[in-house]
Coordinates of all heavy atoms in Angstrom, one line a residue:
M20 N 219.1 -4.8 45.7 CA 219.9 -3.7 46.2 C 219.4 -2.4 45.4 O 219.3 -2.4 44.2 CB 221.4 -3.9 45.9 CG 222.3 -3.1 46.8 SD 224.0 -3.5 46.5 CE 224.4 -2.3 45.3
E21 N 219.2 -1.4 46.2 CA 218.7 -0.1 45.6 C 219.9 0.6 45.0 O 221.0 0.5 45.4 CB 218.1 0.8 46.7 CG 216.6 0.6 46.8 CD 215.8 0.8 45.4 OE1 216.0 1.9 44.9 OE2 215.1 -0.1 45.0
M22 N 219.5 1.4 44.0 CA 220.5 2.3 43.4 C 220.7 3.6 44.3 O 219.8 3.9 45.0 CB 220.1 2.8 42.0 CG 220.1 1.6 41.0 SD 219.5 2.2 39.4 CE 220.9 3.2 38.9
D23 N 221.8 4.2 44.2 CA 222.0 5.5 44.9 C 221.0 6.5 44.4 O 220.8 6.6 43.2 CB 223.4 6.0 44.7 CG 224.5 5.2 45.4 OD1 224.1 4.5 46.4 OD2 225.6 5.1 45.0
T24 N 220.5 7.3 45.3 CA 219.5 8.4 44.9 C 220.3 9.7 44.6 O 219.8 10.5 43.8 CB 218.5 8.6 45.9 OG1 219.1 9.0 47.2 CG2 217.6 7.4 46.2
H25 N 221.5 9.8 45.2 CA 222.3 11.0 45.1 C 223.7 10.7 44.7 O 224.2 9.6 45.2 CB 222.2 11.9 46.3 CG 220.9 12.5 46.7 ND1 219.9 11.7 47.2 CD2 220.4 13.7 46.5 CE1 218.8 12.5 47.4 NE2 219.1 13.7 47.0
C26 N 224.4 11.6 44.0 CA 225.8 11.4 43.6 C 226.6 11.4 44.9 O 226.4 12.3 45.7 CB 226.2 12.5 42.7 SG 228.0 12.4 42.3
K27 N 227.6 10.5 45.1 CA 228.4 10.4 46.3 C 229.4 11.6 46.3 O 229.9 11.9 47.4 CB 229.1 9.1 46.3 CG 228.2 8.0 46.8 CD 228.9 6.6 46.8 CE 228.0 5.5 47.2 NZ 228.3 4.3 46.6
V28 N 229.7 12.2 45.2 CA 230.7 13.2 45.1 C 230.1 14.6 45.3 O 230.5 15.4 46.2 CB 231.5 13.2 43.8 CG1 232.5 14.3 43.7 CG2 232.3 11.8 43.7
C29 N 229.1 14.9 44.5 CA 228.6 16.3 44.5 C 227.2 16.4 45.1 O 226.6 17.5 45.2 CB 228.6 16.9 43.1 SG 227.4 16.0 41.9
G30 N 226.5 15.3 45.4 CA 225.2 15.3 46.0 C 224.1 15.5 45.1 O 222.9 15.7 45.5
L31 N 224.3 15.5 43.8 CA 223.2 15.7 42.8 C 222.2 14.6 42.9 O 222.5 13.5 43.1 CB 223.8 15.6 41.4 CG 222.8 15.6 40.2 CD1 222.5 17.1 39.9 CD2 223.3 14.9 39.0
K32 N 220.9 15.1 42.9 CA 219.8 14.1 43.0 C 219.6 13.6 41.5 O 219.4 14.4 40.6 CB 218.6 14.8 43.5 CG 217.5 13.8 43.8 CD 216.2 14.5 44.3 CE 215.1 13.5 44.5 NZ 213.8 14.1 44.7
Y33 N 219.7 12.3 41.4 CA 219.6 11.7 40.0 C 218.2 11.8 39.4 O 218.1 12.0 38.2 CB 220.0 10.2 40.0 CG 221.5 10.0 40.3 CD1 221.8 9.1 41.3 CD2 222.4 10.7 39.7 CE1 223.2 8.8 41.6 CE2 223.8 10.5 39.9 CZ 224.1 9.6 40.9 OH 225.5 9.3 41.2
E34 N 217.2 11.7 40.3 CA 215.8 11.8 39.8 C 215.5 13.3 39.6 O 215.1 13.9 40.6 CB 214.8 11.1 40.7 CG 213.5 11.0 40.2 CD 212.5 10.2 41.0 OE1 212.7 10.2 42.3 OE2 211.6 9.5 40.5
V35 N 215.8 13.8 38.4 CA 215.7 15.3 38.2 C 214.3 15.9 38.4 O 214.2 17.1 38.7 CB 216.3 15.7 36.9 CG1 217.8 15.5 36.9 CG2 215.7 14.9 35.7
E36 N 213.3 15.1 38.2 CA 211.9 15.5 38.5 C 211.2 14.3 38.9 O 211.6 13.1 38.6 CB 211.3 16.2 37.3 CG 211.2 15.3 36.0 CD 210.8 16.0 34.8 OE1 211.1 17.2 34.7 OE2 210.2 15.4 33.9
P37 N 210.1 14.5 39.7 CA 209.3 13.3 40.1 C 208.9 12.4 39.0 O 208.4 12.9 38.0 CB 208.1 13.9 40.9 CG 208.5 15.3 41.2 CD 209.5 15.7 40.1
G38 N 209.1 11.1 39.1 CA 208.7 10.2 38.0 C 209.6 10.2 36.8 O 209.3 9.5 35.8
F39 N 210.8 10.8 36.9 CA 211.6 10.9 35.7 C 212.0 9.5 35.2 O 212.0 9.3 34.0 CB 212.9 11.7 36.1 CG 213.9 11.7 35.0 CD1 213.7 12.5 33.9 CD2 215.1 10.9 35.0 CE1 214.6 12.6 32.8 CE2 216.0 10.9 34.0 CZ 215.8 11.8 32.9
F40 N 212.2 8.6 36.2 CA 212.7 7.3 35.8 C 211.6 6.3 35.2 O 211.9 5.2 34.8 CB 213.5 6.6 36.9 CG 214.9 7.2 37.1 CD1 215.2 7.8 38.3 CD2 215.8 7.2 36.0 CE1 216.5 8.4 38.4 CE2 217.0 7.8 36.2 CZ 217.4 8.4 37.4
W41 N 210.4 6.8 35.2 CA 209.3 6.0 34.5 C 209.7 5.8 33.1 O 209.5 4.8 32.5 CB 208.0 6.7 34.7 CG 207.3 6.5 36.0 CD1 207.4 7.3 37.1 CD2 206.5 5.4 36.4 NE1 206.7 6.7 38.1 CE2 206.1 5.6 37.7 CE3 206.0 4.3 35.7 CZ2 205.3 4.7 38.4 CZ3 205.1 3.4 36.4 CH2 204.8 3.7 37.7
G42 N 210.3 6.8 32.5 CA 210.7 6.7 31.1 C 211.8 5.7 30.9 O 212.0 5.2 29.7
A43 N 212.5 5.3 31.9 CA 213.5 4.3 31.8 C 212.9 2.9 31.4 O 213.6 2.1 30.9 CB 214.4 4.2 33.1
M44 N 211.6 2.8 31.6 CA 211.0 1.5 31.2 C 211.1 1.4 29.7 O 211.2 0.3 29.2 CB 209.5 1.6 31.6 CG 209.2 1.3 33.1 SD 207.5 0.9 33.4 CE 206.7 2.4 32.9
Y45 N 210.9 2.5 29.0 CA 211.0 2.4 27.5 C 212.4 2.1 27.1 O 212.6 1.3 26.1 CB 210.5 3.7 26.9 CG 209.1 4.0 27.2 CD1 208.7 4.9 28.2 CD2 208.1 3.3 26.6 CE1 207.4 5.2 28.5 CE2 206.7 3.5 26.9 CZ 206.4 4.4 27.9 OH 205.1 4.7 28.2
V46 N 213.4 2.7 27.8 CA 214.8 2.4 27.5 C 215.1 0.9 27.8 O 215.8 0.2 27.0 CB 215.8 3.3 28.3 CG1 217.2 3.0 28.0 CG2 215.4 4.8 28.0
S47 N 214.6 0.4 28.9 CA 214.7 -1.0 29.3 C 214.1 -1.9 28.3 O 214.7 -2.9 27.9 CB 214.1 -1.2 30.7 OG 214.2 -2.5 31.1
Y48 N 213.0 -1.5 27.8 CA 212.3 -2.3 26.8 C 213.2 -2.4 25.5 O 213.3 -3.5 25.0 CB 210.9 -1.7 26.4 CG 210.2 -2.3 25.3 CD1 209.6 -3.6 25.4 CD2 210.1 -1.7 24.0 CE1 209.0 -4.1 24.3 CE2 209.5 -2.2 23.0 CZ 208.9 -3.5 23.1 OH 208.3 -4.1 22.1
A49 N 213.7 -1.3 25.1 CA 214.6 -1.3 23.9 C 215.8 -2.2 24.1 O 216.2 -2.9 23.3 CB 215.0 0.2 23.6
L50 N 216.4 -2.1 25.3 CA 217.6 -2.9 25.6 C 217.2 -4.4 25.6 O 218.0 -5.2 25.1 CB 218.1 -2.5 27.0 CG 218.9 -1.2 27.2 CD1 219.2 -1.0 28.7 CD2 220.1 -1.2 26.3
T51 N 216.1 -4.7 26.2 CA 215.6 -6.1 26.2 C 215.3 -6.6 24.9 O 215.8 -7.8 24.5 CB 214.3 -6.2 27.1 OG1 214.6 -5.7 28.4 CG2 213.8 -7.6 27.2
V52 N 214.6 -5.9 24.0 CA 214.4 -6.3 22.7 C 215.7 -6.5 21.9 O 215.8 -7.5 21.2 CB 213.4 -5.4 21.9 CG1 213.3 -5.7 20.5 CG2 212.0 -5.4 22.6
G53 N 216.6 -5.6 22.1 CA 217.9 -5.7 21.4 C 218.6 -6.9 21.8 O 219.2 -7.6 21.0
L54 N 218.6 -7.2 23.1 CA 219.2 -8.4 23.6 C 218.6 -9.7 23.1 O 219.3 -10.6 22.7 CB 219.2 -8.4 25.2 CG 219.9 -9.5 25.9 CD1 221.4 -9.4 25.6 CD2 219.7 -9.5 27.4
M55 N 217.3 -9.7 23.0 CA 216.5 -10.8 22.4 C 216.9 -11.1 21.0 O 217.1 -12.2 20.5 CB 215.0 -10.6 22.6 CG 214.5 -10.7 24.0 SD 212.8 -10.1 24.1 CE 212.0 -11.7 23.7
I56 N 217.0 -10.0 20.2 CA 217.3 -10.1 18.8 C 218.8 -10.6 18.6 O 219.0 -11.6 17.8 CB 217.1 -8.8 18.1 CG1 215.7 -8.4 18.0 CG2 217.8 -8.8 16.7 CD1 215.4 -7.0 17.5
V57 N 219.7 -10.1 19.4 CA 221.1 -10.5 19.3 C 221.2 -12.0 19.7 O 221.8 -12.8 19.0 CB 222.0 -9.6 20.1 CG1 223.4 -10.2 20.3 CG2 222.1 -8.2 19.5
L58 N 220.6 -12.4 20.8 CA 220.7 -13.8 21.3 C 220.0 -14.7 20.3 O 220.5 -15.8 20.0 CB 220.0 -13.9 22.7 CG 221.0 -14.0 23.8 CD1 220.2 -13.9 25.1 CD2 221.7 -15.3 23.8
G59 N 218.8 -14.3 19.8 CA 218.1 -15.1 18.8 C 218.9 -15.3 17.6 O 219.0 -16.4 17.1
G60 N 219.6 -14.3 17.1 CA 220.4 -14.4 16.0 C 221.6 -15.3 16.2 O 222.0 -16.1 15.3
F61 N 222.1 -15.2 17.4 CA 223.3 -16.1 17.8 C 222.8 -17.5 17.8 O 223.6 -18.4 17.2 CB 223.8 -15.7 19.2 CG 225.0 -16.5 19.6 CD1 226.2 -16.3 19.0 CD2 224.8 -17.4 20.6 CE1 227.3 -17.1 19.4 CE2 225.9 -18.2 21.0 CZ 227.1 -18.1 20.4
I62 N 221.7 -17.8 18.4 CA 221.2 -19.2 18.4 C 220.9 -19.7 17.0 O 221.2 -20.9 16.7 CB 219.9 -19.3 19.3 CG1 220.3 -19.0 20.8 CG2 219.3 -20.7 19.2 CD1 219.1 -18.8 21.7
L63 N 220.3 -18.9 16.2 CA 220.0 -19.2 14.8 C 221.3 -19.6 14.1 O 221.4 -20.6 13.4 CB 219.3 -18.1 14.1 CG 218.9 -18.3 12.7 CD1 217.8 -19.3 12.6 CD2 218.5 -16.9 12.0
W64 N 222.4 -18.8 14.3 CA 223.7 -19.0 13.7 C 224.3 -20.3 14.2 O 224.8 -21.1 13.4 CB 224.5 -17.8 13.9 CG 225.9 -17.9 13.4 CD1 226.3 -18.0 12.1 CD2 227.1 -18.0 14.2 NE1 227.7 -18.1 12.0 CE2 228.2 -18.1 13.3 CE3 227.4 -17.9 15.6 CZ2 229.5 -18.1 13.7 CZ3 228.7 -18.0 16.0 CH2 229.8 -18.1 15.1
V65 N 224.4 -20.4 15.5 CA 225.0 -21.6 16.1 C 224.3 -22.9 15.7 O 225.0 -23.9 15.4 CB 225.1 -21.5 17.7 CG1 225.4 -22.8 18.3 CG2 226.1 -20.4 18.1
S66 N 223.0 -22.9 15.7 CA 222.2 -24.1 15.4 C 222.1 -24.3 13.8 O 221.5 -25.3 13.4 CB 220.9 -24.1 16.0 OG 220.1 -23.1 15.3
N67 N 222.6 -23.4 13.1 CA 222.4 -23.5 11.6 C 221.0 -23.6 11.2 O 220.7 -24.3 10.3 CB 223.3 -24.6 11.1 CG 223.7 -24.4 9.6 OD1 223.6 -23.3 9.1 ND2 224.1 -25.4 9.0
G68 N 220.1 -22.9 12.0 CA 218.7 -22.9 11.6 C 217.9 -24.1 12.0 O 216.7 -24.3 11.7
Q69 N 218.5 -25.0 12.8 CA 217.9 -26.3 13.2 C 217.3 -26.2 14.6 O 216.7 -27.2 15.1 CB 218.9 -27.4 13.2 CG 219.6 -27.7 11.9 CD 218.6 -28.0 10.8 OE1 217.8 -28.9 10.9 NE2 218.6 -27.2 9.7
A70 N 217.4 -25.1 15.3 CA 216.8 -25.0 16.7 C 215.3 -24.9 16.6 O 214.7 -24.4 15.7 CB 217.4 -23.7 17.3
D71 N 214.7 -25.6 17.6 CA 213.2 -25.5 17.7 C 212.9 -24.4 18.7 O 213.7 -23.7 19.2 CB 212.6 -26.9 18.1 CG 212.9 -27.3 19.5 OD1 213.4 -26.5 20.3 OD2 212.7 -28.5 19.8
F72 N 211.6 -24.2 18.9 CA 211.0 -23.1 19.7 C 211.7 -23.0 21.1 O 212.2 -21.9 21.5 CB 209.5 -23.4 19.9 CG 208.8 -22.4 20.8 CD1 208.6 -21.1 20.3 CD2 208.4 -22.7 22.0 CE1 207.9 -20.1 21.1 CE2 207.7 -21.8 22.8 CZ 207.5 -20.5 22.4
W73 N 211.8 -24.1 21.8 CA 212.3 -24.1 23.2 C 213.8 -23.8 23.2 O 214.4 -23.3 24.2 CB 212.0 -25.3 24.0 CG 210.5 -25.4 24.2 CD1 209.6 -26.2 23.6 CD2 209.7 -24.6 25.1 NE1 208.4 -26.0 24.1 CE2 208.4 -25.0 24.9 CE3 210.1 -23.5 26.0 CZ2 207.4 -24.3 25.6 CZ3 209.0 -22.9 26.7 CH2 207.7 -23.3 26.5
D74 N 214.5 -24.1 22.1 CA 215.9 -23.8 22.0 C 216.2 -22.3 22.0 O 217.3 -21.8 22.3 CB 216.6 -24.5 20.8 CG 216.6 -26.0 20.8 OD1 216.6 -26.5 22.0 OD2 216.6 -26.6 19.8
Y75 N 215.1 -21.6 21.6 CA 215.2 -20.1 21.6 C 214.7 -19.6 23.0 O 215.4 -18.7 23.6 CB 214.4 -19.5 20.5 CG 214.9 -19.7 19.1 CD1 214.5 -20.7 18.3 CD2 215.9 -18.8 18.7 CE1 215.0 -20.9 17.1 CE2 216.5 -19.0 17.4 CZ 216.0 -20.0 16.6 OH 216.5 -20.2 15.4
V76 N 213.5 -20.1 23.4 CA 212.9 -19.5 24.6 C 213.7 -19.7 25.9 O 213.9 -18.7 26.6 CB 211.5 -20.1 24.7 CG1 210.8 -19.7 26.1 CG2 210.6 -19.7 23.6
I77 N 214.2 -20.9 26.1 CA 214.9 -21.1 27.4 C 216.1 -20.3 27.5 O 216.2 -19.5 28.5 CB 215.2 -22.7 27.5 CG1 213.9 -23.4 27.7 CG2 216.1 -22.9 28.7 CD1 214.0 -24.9 27.6
P78 N 217.1 -20.2 26.6 CA 218.2 -19.3 26.8 C 217.9 -17.9 26.8 O 218.5 -17.1 27.6 CB 219.2 -19.7 25.6 CG 218.6 -20.8 24.9 CD 217.2 -21.0 25.4
I79 N 217.0 -17.4 26.0 CA 216.6 -16.0 25.9 C 216.0 -15.5 27.2 O 216.3 -14.5 27.8 CB 215.8 -15.7 24.7 CG1 216.6 -15.8 23.4 CG2 215.2 -14.3 24.7 CD1 215.9 -15.7 22.1
V80 N 214.9 -16.3 27.7 CA 214.2 -15.9 28.9 C 215.2 -16.0 30.1 O 215.2 -15.1 30.9 CB 213.0 -16.8 29.1 CG1 212.4 -16.6 30.5 CG2 211.9 -16.5 28.0
S81 N 216.1 -17.0 30.1 CA 217.1 -17.1 31.2 C 218.0 -15.9 31.2 O 218.2 -15.3 32.3 CB 217.9 -18.4 31.1 OG 217.1 -19.5 31.0
A82 N 218.5 -15.5 30.1 CA 219.4 -14.4 30.0 C 218.7 -13.1 30.4 O 219.3 -12.3 31.1 CB 219.9 -14.3 28.5
L83 N 217.4 -12.9 30.0 CA 216.7 -11.7 30.4 C 216.5 -11.6 31.9 O 216.6 -10.6 32.5 CB 215.4 -11.6 29.7 CG 215.5 -11.4 28.1 CD1 214.1 -11.3 27.5 CD2 216.3 -10.2 27.7
I84 N 216.2 -12.8 32.5 CA 215.9 -12.8 34.0 C 217.3 -12.5 34.7 O 217.3 -11.7 35.6 CB 215.3 -14.1 34.4 CG1 213.9 -14.2 33.9 CG2 215.3 -14.2 35.9 CD1 213.2 -15.5 34.0
I85 N 218.3 -13.3 34.3 CA 219.6 -13.1 35.0 C 220.1 -11.7 34.8 O 220.7 -11.1 35.6 CB 220.6 -14.2 34.5 CG1 220.1 -15.6 34.9 CG2 222.0 -13.9 35.0 CD1 220.8 -16.7 34.2
G86 N 219.9 -11.1 33.5 CA 220.5 -9.8 33.2 C 219.6 -8.7 33.7 O 220.0 -7.5 33.5
S87 N 218.4 -8.9 34.2 CA 217.5 -7.8 34.6 C 218.1 -6.8 35.5 O 217.8 -5.6 35.3 CB 216.2 -8.4 35.0 OG 216.3 -9.1 36.2
P88 N 218.9 -7.1 36.5 CA 219.5 -6.1 37.4 C 220.4 -5.2 36.6 O 220.5 -4.0 36.8 CB 220.3 -6.8 38.4 CG 219.7 -8.2 38.4 CD 219.2 -8.5 37.0
I89 N 221.1 -5.7 35.6 CA 222.0 -5.0 34.7 C 221.2 -4.1 33.8 O 221.5 -2.9 33.6 CB 222.9 -5.9 34.0 CG1 223.8 -6.7 35.0 CG2 223.8 -5.1 33.0 CD1 224.5 -7.9 34.3
T90 N 220.2 -4.7 33.2 CA 219.3 -3.9 32.3 C 218.6 -2.7 33.0 O 218.6 -1.6 32.5 CB 218.2 -4.8 31.7 OG1 218.8 -6.0 31.2 CG2 217.5 -4.2 30.6
Y91 N 218.2 -3.0 34.2 CA 217.5 -2.0 35.0 C 218.4 -0.8 35.2 O 218.0 0.4 35.0 CB 217.0 -2.6 36.3 CG 216.6 -1.8 37.4 CD1 215.3 -1.2 37.4 CD2 217.4 -1.5 38.5 CE1 214.9 -0.4 38.4 CE2 217.0 -0.7 39.5 CZ 215.7 -0.1 39.5 OH 215.3 0.7 40.5
R92 N 219.6 -1.0 35.6 CA 220.5 0.0 36.0 C 221.0 0.8 34.7 O 221.1 2.0 34.7 CB 221.7 -0.5 36.7 CG 221.4 -0.8 38.2 CD 222.4 -1.7 38.9 NE 222.1 -1.8 40.3 CZ 221.1 -2.6 40.7 NH1 220.4 -3.3 39.9 NH2 220.9 -2.7 42.0
H93 N 221.3 0.0 33.7 CA 221.8 0.6 32.4 C 220.7 1.5 31.8 O 220.9 2.5 31.2 CB 222.3 -0.4 31.4 CG 223.7 -0.8 31.7 ND1 224.0 -1.8 32.7 CD2 224.8 -0.4 31.2 CE1 225.3 -1.9 32.7 NE2 225.8 -1.1 31.8
A94 N 219.4 1.0 31.9 CA 218.3 1.8 31.4 C 218.2 3.2 32.1 O 218.0 4.2 31.5 CB 217.0 1.0 31.6
R95 N 218.4 3.2 33.4 CA 218.4 4.4 34.2 C 219.5 5.4 33.8 O 219.3 6.6 33.6 CB 218.4 4.2 35.7 CG 217.1 3.6 36.1 CD 217.1 3.5 37.6 NE 215.7 3.4 38.1 CZ 215.3 3.9 39.2 NH1 216.1 4.6 40.0 NH2 214.0 3.8 39.6
V96 N 220.7 4.8 33.7 CA 221.9 5.6 33.3 C 221.7 6.2 31.9 O 222.0 7.4 31.7 CB 223.2 4.7 33.4 CG1 224.3 5.5 32.8 CG2 223.4 4.4 34.9
L97 N 221.2 5.4 31.0 CA 221.0 5.9 29.6 C 219.9 6.9 29.6 O 220.1 7.9 28.9 CB 220.6 4.7 28.7 CG 221.7 3.8 28.2 CD1 221.2 2.6 27.5 CD2 222.6 4.6 27.2
M98 N 218.9 6.7 30.4 CA 217.8 7.7 30.5 C 218.3 9.0 31.0 O 218.0 10.1 30.4 CB 216.8 7.2 31.5 CG 215.5 8.0 31.7 SD 214.4 7.9 30.3 CE 213.4 9.3 30.7
L99 N 219.2 9.0 32.0 CA 219.8 10.2 32.5 C 220.7 10.9 31.5 O 220.7 12.1 31.4 CB 220.6 9.8 33.8 CG 220.8 10.8 34.9 CD1 219.5 11.4 35.4 CD2 221.5 10.1 36.1
H100 N 221.5 10.1 30.8 CA 222.4 10.7 29.8 C 221.6 11.3 28.6 O 222.0 12.3 28.0 CB 223.4 9.6 29.3 CG 224.6 9.5 30.2 ND1 225.6 10.4 30.1 CD2 224.9 8.6 31.2 CE1 226.5 10.0 31.0 NE2 226.1 9.0 31.7
L101 N 220.6 10.6 28.1 CA 219.9 11.0 26.9 C 218.8 12.0 27.1 O 218.6 12.9 26.2 CB 219.3 9.7 26.2 CG 220.3 8.6 25.8 CD1 219.5 7.4 25.3 CD2 221.2 9.2 24.7
F102 N 218.1 11.9 28.2 CA 216.9 12.7 28.3 C 216.8 13.7 29.5 O 215.8 14.2 29.8 CB 215.6 11.8 28.3 CG 215.6 10.9 27.1 CD1 215.8 9.5 27.3 CD2 215.3 11.4 25.9 CE1 215.7 8.7 26.2 CE2 215.2 10.6 24.8 CZ 215.4 9.2 24.9
S103 N 218.0 13.9 30.2 CA 217.9 14.9 31.3 C 218.9 16.0 31.0 O 219.8 15.8 30.2 CB 218.3 14.2 32.6 OG 219.7 14.2 32.8
P104 N 218.7 17.2 31.6 CA 219.7 18.3 31.4 C 221.0 18.1 32.1 O 221.8 18.9 32.0 CB 218.9 19.5 31.9 CG 218.0 18.9 32.9 CD 217.6 17.5 32.5
V105 N 221.1 17.0 32.9 CA 222.3 16.8 33.7 C 223.5 16.5 32.8 O 223.5 15.6 32.0 CB 222.1 15.6 34.7 CG1 223.4 15.3 35.5 CG2 221.0 16.0 35.7
R106 N 224.6 17.3 33.0 CA 225.8 17.0 32.2 C 227.0 17.0 33.2 O 226.9 17.7 34.3 CB 226.0 18.2 31.2 CG 225.0 18.2 30.1 CD 225.2 16.9 29.2 NE 224.1 16.8 28.2 CZ 223.0 16.1 28.3 NH1 222.8 15.4 29.4 NH2 222.1 16.0 27.4
F107 N 228.1 16.3 32.8 CA 229.2 16.2 33.7 C 229.9 17.6 33.9 O 230.1 18.4 32.9 CB 230.2 15.3 33.1 CG 231.5 15.2 33.9 CD1 231.5 14.7 35.2 CD2 232.7 15.6 33.4 CE1 232.6 14.6 35.9 CE2 233.9 15.5 34.1 CZ 233.8 15.0 35.4
N108 N 230.2 18.0 35.1 CA 230.8 19.2 35.4 C 232.1 19.0 36.2 O 232.1 18.6 37.3 CB 229.8 20.1 36.3 CG 230.4 21.4 36.6 OD1 231.6 21.7 36.5 ND2 229.6 22.3 37.2
P109 N 233.2 19.2 35.5 CA 234.5 18.8 36.1 C 234.8 19.6 37.4 O 235.4 19.1 38.3 CB 235.6 19.3 35.1 CG 234.8 19.5 33.8 CD 233.4 19.7 34.2
E110 N 234.2 20.8 37.5 CA 234.4 21.6 38.8 C 233.7 20.9 40.0 O 234.3 20.8 41.1 CB 233.8 23.0 38.6 CG 234.6 23.9 37.7 CD 236.0 24.1 38.2 OE1 236.3 24.4 39.3 OE2 236.9 23.8 37.3
M111 N 232.6 20.3 39.7 CA 231.9 19.6 40.8 C 232.6 18.3 41.2 O 232.6 17.9 42.3 CB 230.4 19.3 40.4 CG 229.6 20.5 40.1 SD 229.3 21.5 41.6 CE 227.9 20.7 42.3
A112 N 233.2 17.7 40.2 CA 233.9 16.4 40.4 C 235.1 16.6 41.3 O 235.6 15.7 42.0 CB 234.3 15.8 39.1
K113 N 235.7 17.9 41.4 CA 236.9 18.1 42.2 C 236.5 18.2 43.7 O 237.4 18.0 44.5 CB 237.5 19.4 41.8 CG 238.3 19.3 40.5 CD 238.9 20.7 40.1 CE 239.3 20.7 38.6 NZ 239.4 22.1 38.1
R114 N 235.3 18.5 44.0 CA 234.8 18.6 45.4 C 234.8 17.2 46.0 O 234.3 16.3 45.4 CB 233.4 19.2 45.5 CG 233.4 20.6 45.1 CD 231.9 21.1 45.0 NE 231.0 20.5 45.9 CZ 229.8 20.8 46.0 NH1 229.3 21.8 45.3 NH2 229.0 20.2 46.9
K115 N 235.4 17.0 47.1 CA 235.3 15.7 47.8 C 235.8 15.9 49.2 O 236.8 16.5 49.5 CB 236.2 14.7 47.0 CG 236.2 13.4 47.6 CD 235.1 12.5 47.1 CE 235.1 11.1 47.8 NZ 234.1 10.2 47.3
Ligands
ZN19 ZN1 228.3 14.2 41.2

């Protein structure tokens, strides 16, 4: 399922310049690495250090694949919030 290209309320185009969301790949990478570290730490803690290689790989890779649609969208939203000039405008939100 594709993401909306324009805001449903005010019609703002989310892609503020051509290729803007290419940068979301780096945000996605950071989210993915963060998720891997947290999950790896959790497995280490739960197994009390007794887990072998596949005890880490299988749950972590599964979680990344299952979570990829969420990671993809959150990366774009974070990219928009952190690196674009777009800010919430209450006046525009009243239009409907
Ligand atoms: Zn809007």
Side-chain angles (χ1 to χ4, degrees):
M20 203 177 93
E21 267 303 304
M22 293 179 71
D23 291 333
T24 56
H25 293 75
C26 176
K27 283 176 179 150
V28 176
C29 67
L31 173 86
K32 190 182 179 194
Y33 293 131
E34 190 174 30
V35 290
E36 60 188 30
F39 177 74
F40 286 121
W41 280 90
M44 282 195 300
Y45 298 102
V46 179
S47 177
Y48 174 73
L50 288 175
T51 302
V52 170
L54 186 63
M55 290 171 86
I56 291 170
V57 168
L58 255 172
F61 180 75
I62 293 165
L63 182 68
W64 176 66
V65 165
S66 69
N67 205 16
Q69 302 301 306
D71 71 13
F72 177 74
W73 293 107
D74 293 335
Y75 289 97
V76 171
I77 293 168
I79 291 173
V80 170
S81 304
L83 294 182
I84 291 170
I85 293 165
S87 61
I89 299 164
T90 310
Y91 167 77
R92 283 162 176 76
H93 280 80
R95 285 183 162 220
V96 170
L97 280 170
M98 182 75 192
L99 209 52
H100 275 278
L101 297 173
F102 302 110
S103 86
V105 175
R106 293 291 173 264
F107 178 65
N108 180 348
E110 288 304 309
M111 296 298 272
K113 284 179 197 157
R114 291 170 34 175
K115 178 87 183 183

